[in-house]
């Protein structure tokens, strides 16, 4: 049996189909995955993401440590509550994980990492911390749970749950910013391409919050819908679309690497600079739309006439577009069309720039 | 709880076979199978004229999660496939024993159905699988 989140009983009571995900028992759906997907695009859905790992970095040298640890630059975070998406790289520029880092105050940052990399991340971060003669602590917040509410009506549903004192400032949060509402940390972030919040709160409070939101008509959504939503939104999944064996410049993540200021020596910088000087590497991550019926899946081979071969890193059926879409790592010279080998048949696919869908609307022509 | 009609026979791999009055057989996947797969988004069925051996992979059902093979429970020649599934794969989720049929075969031998599971035996298999 895997690890259980504090919402395990709620999932079972709602009839969820449970699966193992990174060592955790998680709901994949509560009935129809496609219906859950549409609920998020059209109204609001709630996801249990308590399997993700919250790590606090505290102490007066926290900022300096994170400027070395992360490929994006936490100096972009100056206002309390602001968030930043970043990769954490090894010395070769390989992606150890992707994460969100929040700036709380000058002596406190919070990072949220993936469930599957939780243990290896903690080992890596603590080892890097030991290399520094500086003042900060690394604290794994096992006392916190986390849920996400996403969709066009998500923010209003959450604000209704807050104390009156928080009902003005919270709706006014900008994207990628958060604030404390009592002991809850409410951030306007997510993994679906819709508006909404991700909320970290004391472990023992999540059940009541979940039940209140479900009672208010927010649809419980599983990892299945989370995956089709994030892929439509063109967001990478760690372990599928990038890993230790790939670098950000061939993973559609060049925008998250802060090469400026040149004086900031982050882990992986030297390796990435060599790759960048050589033209950014031989491969790139692109979006694909299948022209015919069928479903693109990870590991299917991509053939590019006169150029070479690539591979699908994530593929699915897009419920919003009613077409199959994918992310694929292909040679840099790949043009506008490719073929995908689906069970021995070569089917044409169009190369597009993700995202495929944002805020309920298709961003690619069909 | 999964539905298992008494008017047909079943393969261990979760297909059903129904003998039609004219000696042809109709094949589809069971309620248990469609529930386990989840929302179907693509179905590939064999073309008429294809000759199938018993247990041969002959169709593919894809859900949002994964692709799964469908096996012909008996040997025979494909006479027809359900063309409606092309535009509406969800017919299998909605009505797997009716409008969600997948193909009709001329069996090599009608006796082949006797080797398949009856409804009680299939129910017992599901119970043993924990489903």
């Amino acid at each position: 049996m895997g690890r259980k989140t504090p919402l395990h009983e709620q999932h079972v009571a709602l009839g969820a189909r449970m699966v193992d995900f990174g060592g955790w028992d998680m709901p994949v759906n509560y009935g129809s995955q496609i219906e859950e997907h549409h609920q998020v695009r059209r109204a609001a859905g709630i996801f249990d993401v308590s399997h993700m790992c919250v790590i606090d970095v505290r102490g007066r040298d926290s900022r300096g440590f994170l400027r070395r640890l992360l490929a994006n630059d936490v100096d972009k975070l100056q206002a309390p509550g602001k968030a930043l998406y970043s990769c954490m790289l090894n010395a070769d520029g390989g992606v150890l994980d992707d994460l969100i880092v929040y700036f709380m105050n000058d002596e406190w940052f919070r990072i949220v990492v993936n469930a599957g990399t939780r243990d290896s991340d903690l080992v890596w971060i603590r080892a890097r911390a030991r290399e520094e003669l500086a003042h900060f602590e690394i604290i794994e917040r096992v006392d916190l749970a986390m849920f996400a509410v996403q969709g066009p009506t998500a923010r209003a549903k959450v604000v209704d749950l807050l104390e009156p004192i928080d009902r003005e400032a919270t709706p006014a949060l900008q994207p990628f910013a958060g604030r404390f509402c009592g002991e809850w940390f409410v951030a306007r972030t997510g993994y679906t391409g819709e508006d909404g919040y991700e909320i970290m709160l004391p472990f023992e409070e999540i059940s009541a919050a979940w039940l209140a939101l479900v009672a208010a008509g927010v649809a419980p959504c599983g990892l299945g819908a989370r995956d089709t939503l994030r892929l439509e939104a063109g967001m990478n999944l760690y372990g599928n679309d990038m890993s230790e064996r790939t670098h950000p410049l061939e993973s559609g993540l060049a925008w998250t690497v802060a090469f400026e200021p040149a004086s900031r020596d982050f882990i992986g910088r030297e390796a990435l600079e060599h790759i960048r000087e050589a033209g950014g590497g031989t491969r790139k991550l692109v979006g694909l739309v299948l022209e015919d019926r069928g479903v693109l899946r990870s590991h299917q081979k991509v053939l590019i006439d006169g150029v070479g071969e690539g591979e699908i890193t994530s593929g699915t059926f897009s419920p919003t577009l009613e077409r199959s879409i994918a992310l694929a790592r292909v040679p840099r010279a790949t043009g506008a069309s490719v073929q995908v080998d689906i069970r021995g048949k070569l089917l044409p696919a169009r190369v597009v720039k993700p995202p495929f869908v944002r805020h309920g609307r298709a961003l690619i022509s069909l | 709880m999964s539905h298992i009609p008494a008017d047909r026979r079943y393969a261990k791999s979760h297909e059903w076979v129904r003998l039609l009055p004219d000696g042809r057989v109709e094949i589809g996947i069971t309620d248990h199978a469609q529930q386990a797969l989840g929302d179907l988004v693509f179905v590939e069925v064999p073309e008429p004229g294809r000759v199938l051996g018993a247990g041969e992979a002959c169709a593919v059902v894809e859900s949002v999660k994964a692709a799964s093979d469908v096996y012909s429970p008996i040997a025979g020649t494909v006479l027809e496939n359900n063309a409606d599934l092309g535009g509406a794969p969800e017919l299998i989720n909605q009505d797997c024993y009716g409008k969600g049929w997948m193909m009709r075969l001329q069996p090599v031998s009608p006796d082949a159905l006797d080797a398949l599971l009856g409804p009680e035996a299939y129910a017992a298999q599901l119970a043993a699988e924990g489903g």
Side-chain angles (χ1 to χ4, degrees):
Chain A
M1 289 302 282
R3 296 159 91 169
K4 291 179 172 56
T5 78
L7 290 171
H8 189 268
E9 277 178 35
Q10 317 284 10
H11 300 321
V12 172
L14 287 164
R17 184 172 289 270
M18 304 297 287
V19 295
D20 174 79
F21 183 82
W24 292 75
D25 274 355
M26 296 301 292
V28 65
N29 65 59
Y30 301 83
S32 168
Q33 174 176 334
I34 289 180
E35 190 46 41
E36 291 166 22
H37 180 109
H38 289 319
Q39 284 294 312
V40 173
R41 289 274 179 254
R42 295 166 188 169
I46 183 167
F47 301 82
D48 179 10
V49 286
S50 300
H51 57 313
M52 297 186 79
C53 177
V54 180
I55 302 166
D56 282 348
V57 181
R58 298 194 82 138
R60 62 184 156 86
D61 297 327
S62 302
R63 187 184 290 273
F65 173 61
L66 292 171
R67 292 192 77 203
R68 189 170 88 85
L69 186 73
L70 303 179
N72 212 338
D73 187 357
V74 297
D75 251 14
K76 293 174 184 171
L77 302 177
Q78 295 297 334
K82 277 296 286 177
L84 183 72
Y85 174 77
S86 181
C87 290
M88 183 166 74
L89 307 178
N90 61 26
D92 300 328
V95 183
L96 294 171
D97 206 356
D98 65 335
L99 54 85
I100 291 181
V101 54
Y102 298 90
F103 171 61
M104 301 303 197
N105 63 45
D106 284 328
E107 301 200 346
W108 180 15
F109 288 80
R110 170 170 289 178
I111 61 186
V112 179
V113 305
N114 285 301
T117 43
R118 174 186 199 117
D119 297 336
S120 57
D121 284 357
L122 279 163
V123 168
W124 174 266
I125 293 168
R126 290 195 164 121
R128 300 292 76 74
R130 280 194 296 275
E131 294 166 0
E132 309 235 337
L133 294 167
H135 296 279
F136 60 89
E137 287 183 277
I138 307 295
I139 306 152
E140 182 185 3
R141 294 297 303 269
V142 290
D143 55 318
L144 296 181
M146 187 165 166
F147 65 94
V149 186
Q150 302 275 296
T153 65
R155 293 199 295 148
K157 296 284 187 186
V158 171
V159 169
D160 285 347
L161 282 192
L162 301 176
E163 298 294 333
I165 192 173
D166 292 313
R167 285 186 199 157
E168 265 184 50
T170 307
L173 282 171
Q174 294 297 306
F176 259 71
R179 65 187 293 276
F180 276 96
C181 300
E183 285 196 86
W184 296 17
F185 185 72
V186 179
R188 196 168 162 198
T189 52
Y191 194 48
T192 61
E194 296 300 321
D195 206 346
Y197 296 122
E198 292 179 302
I199 297 164
M200 292 166 240
L201 72 175
F203 200 88
E204 58 279 6
E205 291 183 24
I206 192 171
S207 262
W210 172 277
L211 287 172
L213 285 161
V214 171
V218 180
C221 297
L223 293 180
R226 188 167 160 84
D227 192 54
T228 50
L229 288 159
R230 70 92 193 168
L231 190 48
E232 284 186 352
M235 294 170 173
N236 288 19
L237 173 63
Y238 188 77
N240 273 40
D241 306 308
M242 74 291 202
S243 72
E244 268 183 78
R245 291 179 302 283
T246 53
H247 57 74
L249 309 184
E250 61 183 2
S251 305
L253 297 173
W255 63 277
T256 71
V257 179
F259 286 104
E260 297 298 329
S263 58
R264 186 178 69 100
D265 185 23
F266 63 87
I267 298 168
R269 174 173 197 122
E270 201 182 330
L272 287 191
E273 279 185 346
H274 286 304
I275 295 163
R276 193 166 64 143
E277 282 158 19
T282 57
R283 304 181 295 176
K284 61 181 178 181
L285 198 74
V286 297
L288 298 181
V289 180
L290 189 65
E291 304 279 17
D292 291 337
R293 294 191 311 109
V295 186
L296 302 168
R297 304 280 183 195
S298 54
H299 305 304
Q300 285 170 349
K301 193 193 281 185
V302 179
L303 297 112
I304 308 100
D305 208 19
V307 175
E309 288 182 2
E311 187 178 285
I312 289 184
T313 54
S314 288
T316 194
F317 174 81
S318 157
T320 305
L321 305 176
E322 297 188 315
R323 292 280 282 277
S324 185
I325 59 171
L327 296 175
R329 185 166 284 109
V330 295
R332 195 158 281 275
T334 300
S337 62
V338 301
Q339 289 185 300
V340 183
D341 183 339
I342 301 183
R343 293 184 295 275
K345 274 188 228 164
L346 293 182
L347 298 180
R350 183 156 48 100
V351 176
V352 298
K353 188 171 159 34
F356 303 90
V357 177
R358 267 290 157 90
H359 300 304
R361 294 214 328 272
L363 296 188
I364 55 164
S365 58
L366 292 175
Chain B
M1 201 40 217
S2 121
H3 177 46
I4 306 173
D7 64 347
R8 57 198 83 196
R9 299 186 73 82
Y10 298 86
K12 282 182 182 153
S13 49
H14 308 290
E15 294 85 7
W16 55 260
V17 184
R18 185 162 72 101
L19 184 62
L20 302 175
D22 57 8
R24 296 177 304 153
V25 298
E26 191 172 78
I27 293 169
I29 63 169
T30 65
D31 188 35
H32 171 81
Q34 71 79 18
Q35 278 184 34
L37 289 162
D39 295 322
L40 293 179
V41 295
F42 178 68
V43 178
E44 194 176 287
V45 285
E47 291 304 316
R50 185 166 157 194
V51 178
L52 301 174
E56 183 175 338
C58 62
V60 177
V61 283
E62 296 210 35
S63 69
V64 261
K65 286 178 279 183
S68 306
D69 285 317
V70 177
Y71 303 93
S72 181
I74 62 171
T77 304
V78 179
L79 298 172
E80 272 185 271
N81 60 39
N82 185 351
D84 293 343
L85 296 178
E90 65 274 15
L91 286 174
I92 294 179
N93 294 117
Q94 292 160 1
D95 187 13
C96 66
Y97 295 116
K99 288 181 181 141
W101 67 276
M102 296 182 69
M103 57 190 172
R104 294 188 180 126
L105 302 190
Q106 185 63 54
V108 171
S109 157
D111 299 342
L113 269 73
D114 299 341
L116 299 172
L117 303 174
E120 299 81 10
Y122 181 61
Q125 181 195 321
L126 292 188
E129 286 176 3

